[in-house]
Amino acid sequence: MPGTRKLGRTTSQRRAMLRAMVTFLLEKGKIETTVTRAMEVRSMAEKMITFGKQNTLHSRRQAMAFITKEDVTKKMFDEIAPKYKDRNGGYVRVIKIGPRRGDAAEMAIIELV
């Protein structure tokens, strides 16, 4: 279930961080972060891509309420979501890459499939 991990932040900080990370993932296609954050971002990004596959006015407004950049939302509906029209989920891949040097936090690369 998305949004069950607290990630050491208050609700508003956590929501803002997830919105920014999902926006950046959809914009760039790939980001590097910790494993727990990657799992949370994956669930939210897949939900946004599912909105993009529906391609209704309601789904556009729901996506715009979460994604922070309008051009990224347009890119998602016009380019990203049509690639996954025959796929029933699993739009995002998480690859573990080992511990971070500074604090040994487990790191991962999250990317669109």
Side-chain angles (χ1 to χ4, degrees), residues 26-28 71-80:
L26 293 173
E27 185 177 21
K28 302 294 183 186
D71 58 329
V72 174
T73 306
K74 182 167 175 35
K75 177 183 175 184
M76 185 190 66
F77 276 89
D78 296 342
E79 299 171 21
I80 298 171

Side-chain angles (χ1 to χ4, degrees), residues 8-111:
R9 296 170 188 270
T10 63
T11 305
S12 58
Q13 290 173 341
R14 186 171 55 248
R15 181 169 161 81
M17 181 191 68
L18 289 174
R19 287 179 67 187
M21 291 180 80
V22 168
T23 302
F24 193 72
L25 174 65
L26 293 173
E27 185 177 21
K28 302 294 183 186
K30 177 195 230 182
I31 56 175
E32 184 177 328
T33 184
T34 61
V35 173
T36 53
R37 285 183 187 174
M39 297 301 176
E40 286 295 308
V41 169
R42 177 176 62 182
S43 62
M44 298 309 295
E46 290 194 359
K47 190 174 182 181
M48 293 301 119
I49 292 172
T50 303
F51 285 149
K53 284 174 58 176
Q54 294 171 2
N55 201 11
T56 61
L57 179 61
H58 181 60
S59 63
R60 273 186 192 270
R61 287 180 176 169
Q62 283 182 311
M64 277 299 297
F66 191 81
I67 298 171
T68 57
K69 295 180 182 175
E70 189 172 334
D71 58 329
V72 174
T73 306
K74 182 167 175 35
K75 177 183 175 184
M76 185 190 66
F77 276 89
D78 296 342
E79 299 171 21
I80 298 171
K83 289 195 302 188
Y84 302 114
K85 66 179 180 177
D86 297 328
R87 193 175 180 113
N88 293 326
Y91 316 119
V92 178
R93 174 186 302 139
V94 176
I95 303 167
K96 294 181 182 180
I97 58 172
R100 183 165 49 196
R101 182 172 175 165
D103 60 354
E106 201 58 37
M107 296 298 285
I109 293 175
I110 181 168
E111 61 187 3

